[in-house]
Amino acid sequence: MNSSSPSISASSKTPIKSDILDLSKIPEHIAIIMDGNGRWAKKRFLNRVKGHEKGAETVKMVVRVCREIGIGHLTLFAFSTENWQRPKNEITALMSLLKKFLLTEQKSLMENEIRLRAIGQLEKLPEDVLATLNRTMHLTRNNHGLQINLALSYGGRSEIVDMVRQIAEKVQSGMILPEAINREIVSQHLYTSDIPDPDLLIRTSGEMRISNFLLWQIAYSEICVTDTLWPDFSEDEFLAIIKNFQCRERRFGKV
Ligand code: IPE
Ligand code: IPE
Ligand code: MG
């Protein structure tokens, strides 16, 4: 990523027309497992970090499209609890890329009414990154357009453990009766308590797995896995996936 690259607010090369998408059936929440940066770089004999840099450009495109078509929530899996096990130099590069991304995009987040939030074990992030993240979240807190939920140091199992601990404490102190625990109470104690469940989950780079992402929330999400590596993921493919989503019949267990 460099500072001259187009930002979130750069206008689309092709205007998104209502003949491509049914604007009355836009998903409320899209979640994405942005995978394949390393393989993209390897194919080009580049350092994996170059793949992450190129991947940051795809993030800007996806954010712009979501804003243009009126998506409410975009949740991006940017760094998992398991990703802390990667080589130190890759973690350092990812963290500095994240900080740079937040700093360079703050202006266009404001211009485009985008609110940025984060879910995950944020206390594990380096101090300077966390400070920049907190500032960006604070700055954008009153924006009511698209909401981006960055999953950072995020793991679905840790989220469930944290939820169980919080509910157990409330039971212990008498605030909640065990028999009152239901799905709503569980949802209210997840990091995503005020975020609707994803309607559409996209994973790039072809892996047929969830990799510890939003385990509770994706119970009824429509899933799309594409072989395209995240840095190669295009606006046309993103729109085609949303179009495909609009053609699906969501039955939620009914007939
Ligand atoms: C996704 O790309 C980005 C992160 C997990 C941070 P990868 O880095 O996992 O790329 P591959 O899967 O090795 O190609
Ligand atoms: C999932 O990708 C995490 C993110 C996209 C941030 P990984 O590359 O870490 O997942 P695995 O190792 O293929 O399951
Ligand atoms: Mg991967």
Side-chain angles (χ1 to χ4, degrees):
M1 185 170 63
N2 61 57
S3 52
S4 63
S5 55
S7 75
I8 290 163
S9 52
S11 66
S12 167
K13 62 176 169 35
T14 46
I16 295 159
K17 301 193 202 81
S18 50
D19 52 294
I20 304 177
L21 293 178
D22 177 350
L23 296 180
S24 70
K25 275 168 75 178
I26 294 294
E28 161 75 354
H29 182 177
I30 297 180
I32 308 183
I33 302 174
M34 311 183 288
D35 196 20
N37 295 349
R39 277 162 281 175
W40 182 91
K42 194 174 177 202
K43 266 175 43 182
R44 289 161 180 78
F45 305 100
L46 297 169
N47 187 293
R48 294 176 58 85
V49 174
K50 291 285 170 212
H52 298 312
E53 286 173 4
K54 190 74 168 55
E57 297 304 315
T58 309
V59 172
K60 292 190 218 168
M61 176 280 288
V62 162
V63 169
R64 173 173 51 74
V65 172
C66 285
R67 185 183 62 80
E68 286 174 359
I69 64 176
I71 300 285
H73 286 265
L74 171 68
T75 300
L76 297 171
F77 202 6
F79 194 86
S80 73
T81 45
E82 290 72 25
N83 290 151
W84 290 115
Q85 295 164 61
R86 292 194 177 195
K88 195 169 178 293
N89 68 329
E90 184 170 345
I91 294 174
T92 306
L94 278 166
M95 291 298 144
S96 78
L97 192 61
L98 169 63
K99 184 176 166 184
K100 190 173 158 192
F101 181 86
L102 293 170
L103 290 172
T104 54
E105 294 305 314
Q106 273 173 0
K107 187 163 167 271
S108 59
L109 291 174
M110 293 310 291
E111 283 167 1
N112 293 288
E113 275 290 305
I114 299 169
R115 181 174 184 192
L116 186 122
R117 293 181 59 193
I119 53 169
Q121 298 183 324
L122 306 181
E123 68 283 358
K124 298 209 169 130
L125 296 172
E127 218 173 296
D128 61 324
V129 176
L130 184 58
T132 307
L133 181 65
N134 281 334
R135 266 199 304 278
T136 312
M137 291 196 286
H138 186 76
L139 184 72
T140 62
R141 71 193 182 287
N142 293 321
N143 289 346
H144 294 295
L146 170 65
Q147 177 167 312
I148 302 173
N149 308 301
L150 272 188
L152 287 170
S153 188
Y154 173 88
R157 287 184 167 178
S158 297
E159 180 181 33
I160 289 172
V161 169
D162 289 348
M163 172 273 292
V164 170
R165 188 179 298 117
Q166 280 187 54
I167 294 179
E169 282 167 1
K170 289 187 181 173
V171 168
Q172 194 176 34
S173 69
M175 278 170 71
I176 298 178
L177 291 171
E179 55 271 31
I181 298 171
N182 57 21
R183 286 175 291 186
E184 279 68 41
I185 290 185
V186 168
S187 292
Q188 283 161 14
H189 289 82
L190 295 172
Y191 306 151
T192 52
S193 56
D194 53 356
I195 299 171
D197 289 341
D199 301 295
L200 172 61
L201 171 69
I202 300 171
R203 181 169 187 146
T204 56
S205 93
E207 308 295 356
M208 295 291 183
R209 55 178 172 257
I210 299 299
S211 301
N212 203 11
F213 192 41
L214 302 177
L215 298 178
W216 169 275
Q217 298 87 338
I218 59 167
Y220 261 106
S221 304
E222 295 296 322
I223 298 177
C224 174
V225 176
T226 168
D227 285 336
T228 306
L229 304 174
W230 180 248
D232 288 329
F233 191 65
S234 68
E235 176 170 344
D236 287 348
E237 183 169 14
F238 188 34
L239 291 173
I241 288 172
I242 299 170
K243 175 96 198 139
N244 173 281
F245 164 86
Q246 294 185 325
C247 300
R248 294 191 191 185
E249 188 192 359
R250 302 183 77 190
R251 286 191 290 276
F252 300 99
K254 299 170 199 155
V255 289

